[in-house]
Amino acid sequence: MAPAVDNLGTNCEPRLIAEQGIAARVAAISEPVLDGIGYRLVRVKIFGADGCTVQIMAERPDGTMTVEDCEAVSRALSPVLDVADPIDRAYRLEVSSPGMDRPLVRRSDFVRFAGHLVKLEMMIARDGRRRFRGLLLGVEGDAARIRRDDSSPGESDEVLLPIDEMAGAKLVLTDALIAESLRRGKAAERAAQRQQAENGQPANRENSEAQHKHVQSAPVDHRGDAQNEGE
């Protein structure tokens, strides 16, 4: 049974940083499924170091994600991906939490993590460069203000970068980020325990912003499955 998630189907904040190519196709299929069961898509990544793996990174509206959540998302997504068949070969589906050094993809992510160190890559060079690193100061409209720690002599320390022009944005793992992530995780765990107590359920869930994931035990040939079902 899938974990209960509040605010089902109410996530309407778009991702300003999205995938390209086949990953974008998988994202387009996955996002409405996740939204329908109360989760938010963070990122889709396809890689093939040990066979083909499709990684779906997701979270609850409050930013948390447990092992049970990953399993629930995997159960919901697998049959949909089977039917849509966006990958032309066998692949392993991996559903994971964003983790501490997470990607930033929505405007609210940049608001939430203001005060932390970030790495950004722009789709088009700005002031002669595409990569930036520095302290996230906040958001102005749909642009993020960064105090750079990689500026060259004569360059301004602060820069305002449109979020929808970023190819990628990610938190840098620091002691401050770890401390805040642990604090958020404990607060979420206490809230879950209170909710379970109110519902008369045992308090056995573990919430944190550490990396959780659920992986299929073996690659699945979705094209083969679809073909066999039609025979």
Side-chain angles (χ1 to χ4, degrees), residues 64 180-190 207-209:
T64 61
E180 181 173 332
S181 296
L182 293 176
R183 178 183 61 77
R184 289 179 185 270
K186 290 178 180 178
E189 183 177 0
R190 288 194 295 270
N207 283 287
S208 76
E209 293 187 66

Side-chain angles (χ1 to χ4, degrees), residues 2-10 34-40 59-62 64-66 68-69 72-73 195 205:
V5 181
D6 295 333
N7 301 321
L8 295 182
T10 60
L34 291 173
D35 182 58
I37 58 173
Y39 296 91
R40 304 197 307 178
E59 64 184 357
R60 287 171 171 250
D62 64 1
T64 61
M65 192 72 172
T66 67
E68 291 86 355
D69 291 322
V73 169
Q195 184 65 44
R205 293 175 59 80

Side-chain angles (χ1 to χ4, degrees), residues 22-189:
I22 298 177
R25 193 185 318 160
V26 175
I29 296 167
S30 303
E31 194 155 18
V33 176
L34 291 173
D35 182 58
I37 58 173
Y39 296 91
R40 304 197 307 178
L41 177 65
V42 176
R43 185 188 68 184
V44 174
K45 186 176 180 181
I46 300 174
F47 50 93
D50 299 309
C52 181
T53 297
V54 176
Q55 182 193 60
I56 307 289
M57 191 174 286
E59 64 184 357
R60 287 171 171 250
D62 64 1
T64 61
M65 192 72 172
T66 67
V67 172
E68 291 86 355
D69 291 322
C70 293
E71 292 172 349
V73 169
S74 181
R75 287 194 297 269
L77 274 181
S78 291
V80 177
L81 292 174
D82 284 350
V83 173
D85 198 20
I87 309 295
D88 62 358
R89 60 189 183 279
Y91 63 86
R92 178 181 289 104
L93 176 64
E94 174 183 304
V95 177
S96 74
S97 70
M100 292 186 185
D101 54 342
R102 56 167 297 148
L104 307 179
V105 296
R106 293 177 170 86
R107 184 183 186 278
S108 60
D109 295 337
F110 288 83
V111 173
R112 177 185 176 195
F113 291 102
H116 289 287
L117 196 63
V118 295
K119 293 192 296 185
L120 311 172
E121 182 174 356
M122 306 301 295
M123 291 186 287
I124 301 174
R126 295 181 67 87
D127 300 325
R129 65 163 62 199
R130 293 180 60 187
R131 293 181 175 85
F132 297 84
R133 173 189 162 109
L135 187 68
L136 176 59
L137 299 178
V139 175
E140 299 178 18
D142 284 332
R145 183 168 291 279
I146 310 296
R147 180 180 296 143
R148 296 166 51 186
D149 64 6
D150 61 351
S151 57
S152 302
E155 290 183 326
S156 173
D157 289 339
E158 292 189 11
V159 60
L160 192 63
L161 301 171
I163 299 172
D164 61 359
E165 294 182 13
M166 296 177 186
K170 186 178 182 181
L171 291 172
V172 176
L173 198 60
T174 63
D175 290 341
L177 179 61
I178 292 171
E180 181 173 332
S181 296
L182 293 176
R183 178 183 61 77
R184 289 179 185 270
K186 290 178 180 178
E189 183 177 0

